[in-house]
């Protein structure tokens, strides 16, 4: 951290969009400049959004955990095959798509626009795979008779908890896939800066992070033994 | 000295990202294994929540790069998040008693 502040120049004369990050990094902390976190406003904005969205998901996850612990007749509908296997594969796909996103950000930092666009495309493909697998999972449960406030096995809250949590998460994944495709296309064509790629990466990693809570708490706490 | 070493380390270390990825997959494996151990729901919830927090921290620190941003960013974001989450847990002990308090 320290070395950046000392090398600071005013960063003037750079093109506004592309130079924003560089200017923010180089600006001296004591010059009265406006970037205390050494990052562009879009990136800071995304961080703030992520924290507020994290609180939304926390509220849902904690509410779910509450009814899960307090219900004696919580349904245990997830067989090892196919449900748990499928959810594990979905976790793998999402984690791997995070790695491809990291590679995209790295390529963007090195100014390799084509490579970065391909890695972002791979990430979006991972997200799409996740959505398809999850849609099948929903279809299976609905076929078995799970509704928002009704299911054949036990506590009627199961459907509400399951569909709300995974549904909100899937909405985030779907928005993320669209976002990534737009960023990949624009960045490949020479628009946007490497920081814009980084911002989309932050969002994608957050979506991945939320699933790290939903997978064990929703699926692994409700597995069918034997 | 330490600063510059850290900087070259994060600039282009695909190795580090893959290392973090392996850890995340490994912890996922542990969670799936745990699911089939016959533990009580409270203990299981604690273990799974704990492992998930470790995984989330790895993602935030390395994939989301927070470790390499200015410390002030983490100091602004994380205490606020942790405080709110702790407040959300205020009513949680009720859920542990509820099962035994229900009229039969």
């Amino acid at each position: 951290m320290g070395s950046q502040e000392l090398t600071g120049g005013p960063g003037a004369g750079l093109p506004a969009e592309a130079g924003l990050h560089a200017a923010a990094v180089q600006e001296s902390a004591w010059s009265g400049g406006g970037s205390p976190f050494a990052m562009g406003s879009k990136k800071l904005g995304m961080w703030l959004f992520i924290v507020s969205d994290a609180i939304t998901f926390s509220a849902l996850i904690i509410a779910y955990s509450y009814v899960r612990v307090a219900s004696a007749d919580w349904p245990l509908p997830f067989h090892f095959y196919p449900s748990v296997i499928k959810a594990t594969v979905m976790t793998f796909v999402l984690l791997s798509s995070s790695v491809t996103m990291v590679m995209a950000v790295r390529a963007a930092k090195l100014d390799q626009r084509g490579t970065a666009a391909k890695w972002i495309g791979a990430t979006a493909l991972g997200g799409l795979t996740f959505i398809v697998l999850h849609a099948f999972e929903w279809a299976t449960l609905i076929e078995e008779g799970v509704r928002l406030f009704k299911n054949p096995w036990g506590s009627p809250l199961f459907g509400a908890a399951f569909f709300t949590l995974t549904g909100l998460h899937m909405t985030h994944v779907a928005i993320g896939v669209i976002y990534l495709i737009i960023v990949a296309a624009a960045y490949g064509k020479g628009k946007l800066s490497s920081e814009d790629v980084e911002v989309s990466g932050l969002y994608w990693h957050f979506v991945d992070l939320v699933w790290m809570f939903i997978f064990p708490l929703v699926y692994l706490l409700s597995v069918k033994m034997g | 000295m330490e600063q510059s070493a850290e900087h070259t380390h994060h600039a282009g270390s695909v190795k580090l990202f893959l290392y973090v990825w392996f850890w995340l997959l490994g912890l996922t494996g542990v969670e799936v294994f745990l699911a089939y151990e016959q533990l009580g729901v409270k203990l299981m919830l604690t273990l799974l929540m704990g492992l998930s927090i470790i995984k989330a921290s790895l993602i935030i620190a390395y994939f989301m790069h927070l470790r390499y941003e200015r410390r002030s960013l983490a100091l602004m974001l994380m205490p606020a998040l942790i405080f709110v989450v702790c407040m959300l847990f205020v009513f949680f002990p009720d859920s542990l008693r509820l099962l035994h308090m229900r009229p039969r």
Side-chain angles (χ1 to χ4, degrees):
Chain A
M1 277 183 275
S3 58
Q4 294 161 350
E5 284 123 295
L6 297 174
T7 55
L14 289 159
E17 189 62 26
L20 194 106
H21 182 64
V25 168
Q26 283 183 356
E27 170 185 277
S28 160
W30 303 104
S31 71
S35 184
F37 302 107
M39 58 174 63
S41 52
K42 286 182 204 165
K43 196 168 154 189
L44 182 59
M46 183 52 88
W47 266 113
L48 292 174
F49 166 73
I50 284 171
V51 168
S52 65
D53 214 24
I55 291 169
T56 306
F57 273 111
S58 305
L60 280 176
I61 287 168
I62 291 167
Y64 158 76
S65 305
Y66 184 102
V67 291
R68 174 71 183 84
V69 172
S71 307
D73 60 343
W74 197 259
L76 305 173
F78 297 117
H79 294 273
F80 185 66
Y81 182 84
S83 283
V84 174
I85 292 284
K86 205 189 286 167
T88 309
V89 170
M90 279 155 64
T91 310
F92 174 76
V93 167
L94 216 52
L95 278 173
S96 306
S97 77
S98 252
V99 175
T100 58
M101 194 64 226
V102 159
M103 296 304 289
V105 172
R106 185 171 172 271
K109 283 257 173 69
L110 298 172
D111 220 16
Q112 300 164 339
R113 280 182 182 263
T115 319
K118 272 179 210 149
W119 280 118
I120 303 171
T123 310
L125 203 66
L128 216 56
T129 313
F130 180 90
I131 293 173
V132 170
L133 283 173
H134 210 58
F136 279 118
E137 182 69 34
W138 273 43
T140 314
L141 281 172
I142 292 168
E143 217 164 89
E144 284 178 287
V146 183
R147 299 289 181 272
L148 261 183
F149 299 109
K150 188 173 78 168
N151 68 66
W153 311 299
S155 172
L157 286 169
F158 171 77
F162 180 84
F163 287 126
T164 311
L165 262 175
T166 60
L168 188 67
H169 179 259
M170 225 192 331
T171 312
H172 278 75
V173 178
I175 293 169
V177 168
I178 296 165
Y179 180 19
L180 287 176
I181 290 170
I182 293 170
V183 170
Y187 191 72
K189 272 189 223 154
K191 293 174 196 163
L192 302 180
S193 68
S194 71
E195 202 184 49
D196 294 322
V197 177
E198 218 186 322
V199 170
S200 65
L202 282 178
Y203 177 80
W204 190 256
H205 295 313
F206 171 69
V207 167
D208 179 23
L209 183 159
V210 170
W211 183 252
M212 292 305 119
F213 285 91
I214 294 178
F215 166 61
L217 297 179
V218 172
Y219 279 90
L220 297 182
L221 269 181
S222 304
V223 295
K224 203 183 194 77
M225 294 287 174
Chain B
M1 299 297 143
E2 202 184 294
Q3 301 277 351
S4 66
E6 199 176 77
H7 234 76
T8 48
H9 188 55
H10 92 274
S13 53
V14 179
K15 222 188 195 170
L16 177 71
F17 296 139
L18 290 178
Y19 191 65
V20 173
W21 182 56
F22 281 127
W23 265 99
L24 289 167
L25 292 180
L27 288 172
T28 307
V30 171
E31 285 178 343
V32 175
F33 170 77
L34 271 178
Y36 287 92
E37 296 297 297
Q38 305 278 354
L39 304 172
V41 67
K42 289 168 209 167
L43 178 62
M44 189 77 98
L45 186 70
T46 316
L47 285 173
L48 291 179
M49 199 76 106
L51 284 170
S52 297
I53 289 171
I54 294 173
K55 283 160 75 181
S57 310
L58 282 172
I59 293 175
I60 293 173
Y62 294 100
F63 287 175
M64 294 169 87
H65 219 253
L66 189 61
R67 236 198 106 183
Y68 306 110
E69 304 292 353
R70 280 205 184 151
R71 192 69 73 235
S72 56
L73 182 69
L75 287 177
M76 176 184 70
L77 299 173
M78 290 308 146
L81 179 61
I82 292 165
F83 176 75
V84 174
V85 170
C86 287
M87 294 314 276
L88 287 172
F89 266 112
V90 159
F91 295 106
F92 206 82
D94 277 359
S95 74
L96 305 172
R97 298 184 295 131
L98 218 55
L99 216 50
H100 314 288
M101 289 168 61
R102 202 162 275 171
R104 279 160 206 280

